[in-house]
Amino acid sequence: MAAFVVPQIGCLEATGEADEPYQLFDPDGQLVVPAAVFFADLQAASKSAATIRSYGMDLLRWYRFLWAVDVQWDQVTRAEARDFCRWLQLADKPVRVHWRHQRRGITAPMLPAPRVEPGTPNPVTGRSAPGRKYAPSTRAHCETVLRTFYDFHLDEGTGPIVNPFPLDRSRRNARAHEHHNPLELFRPERQGRYRPKVPKRIPRRIPDELFNALFAALKYNRDRALLAFWVSTGARAEELLTSRVKDASPGQQLVGVVRKGTRAYQQIPASTDAFVWLRLAQEEAWRKGAPRGRNHSLWWTLRRPWRPLNYHAARAMLNRANDLLGSNWTLHDLRHTAAYRMARDPQMSLTDVQWVLGHAHLSTTEIYLAASQEEVIEQVLAHHARRAQQPAKPPVPAPGYNPASLNTLFGGLP
């Protein structure tokens, strides 16, 4: 399975339409109808367009595997599902061909040698670079999506009569949470048979001195304003980019965002410095001719043609600063940094932090109460330093020995 090649055929395309935001096409350019029906059911269940795209990418990966083994989607067995999960575990991730190369008819990737070996920890942040293999979280998400996809068609009567992605043998016959203690949290008991174990990740914050270096590496006031808002509000990167000019209230130090999960509008507090950098960025953009108005976007590109800033452009901005520092911070690390700062403040209650971050459960906010990896390492190193500074104490003679005899034998005891 490690040497099995899955061609990069078919595609998932954005339509720009509200009723059908994404469509899955086969190698002949024909619409994959089972996926389209599944996407419609997801939209009826109030799933966002980003969720539909995430599910569509997993379905595209599954369909490419089926096209490679020449098996129809409704004729698969658990043998194909098992081999697909093995292939995800053993095969290398495909290297995407840049769109500029695709226009010139180049099908093989033309990439320079990587600066660091995949999977190597970054010397500044300590975070490992993306590896060559699919991450356990990617494989787990793919297994869940495909099990849900076949459960949907099983209920509709349009797919196989048996789900090729079954539940674990030890848990499929019992009722979920049948022996649950009401004083404890619920545990995931409906686990798929081929679902990998995902290690629990500790949120990584940016230390203050490294954040100052990252802030100083930025070139434009717009970028400084973005970082100041992200690190003071704790909003997700894409949430802050939904703000419009009328959503920023410097007098009350509030900025309005659209929450990712509920799509609800919420005003969250921000620092004074964030609004100062925002005003400087707005004045510069308006002098260059950027659109202005209460209903316009709060964040724009830096040059013509003027376009509202999207997530990919914001991530590219941060990556340019990372290249100067040799780090690999992400936009979500800014949210973790804000959460750590607020949760570790003794004057701020945890329920207030939960409201600012938009967490549905308080247990999600509690993970920021624990010490971060950097703090644990600092405390352990300080412990070793204290141990090294302690004077060595000579061993005490065991009871029953005559001190005078020991003095004569060893030449004097302290």
Side-chain angles (χ1 to χ4, degrees), residues 239-240 242-244 247-248 254-258 265-268:
E239 291 177 347
L240 185 62
T242 62
S243 300
R244 293 172 291 181
D247 297 328
L254 298 174
V255 60
V257 299
V258 177
Y265 180 81
Q266 180 179 351
Q267 287 184 313
I268 49 181

Side-chain angles (χ1 to χ4, degrees), residues 53-73:
R53 180 187 179 277
S54 176
Y55 280 40
M57 295 303 295
D58 289 330
L59 284 176
L60 176 61
R61 192 179 296 115
W62 167 243
Y63 268 94
R64 284 174 173 173
F65 181 84
L66 294 181
W67 293 329
V69 299
D70 195 18
V71 177
Q72 298 296 323
W73 76 276

Side-chain angles (χ1 to χ4, degrees), residues 84-101:
F84 174 71
C85 294
R86 292 172 57 208
W87 174 76
L88 284 181
Q89 183 178 359
L90 301 175
D92 291 342
K93 293 184 293 185
V95 180
R96 186 176 304 175
V97 181
H98 198 276
W99 61 269
R100 292 190 180 92
H101 298 161

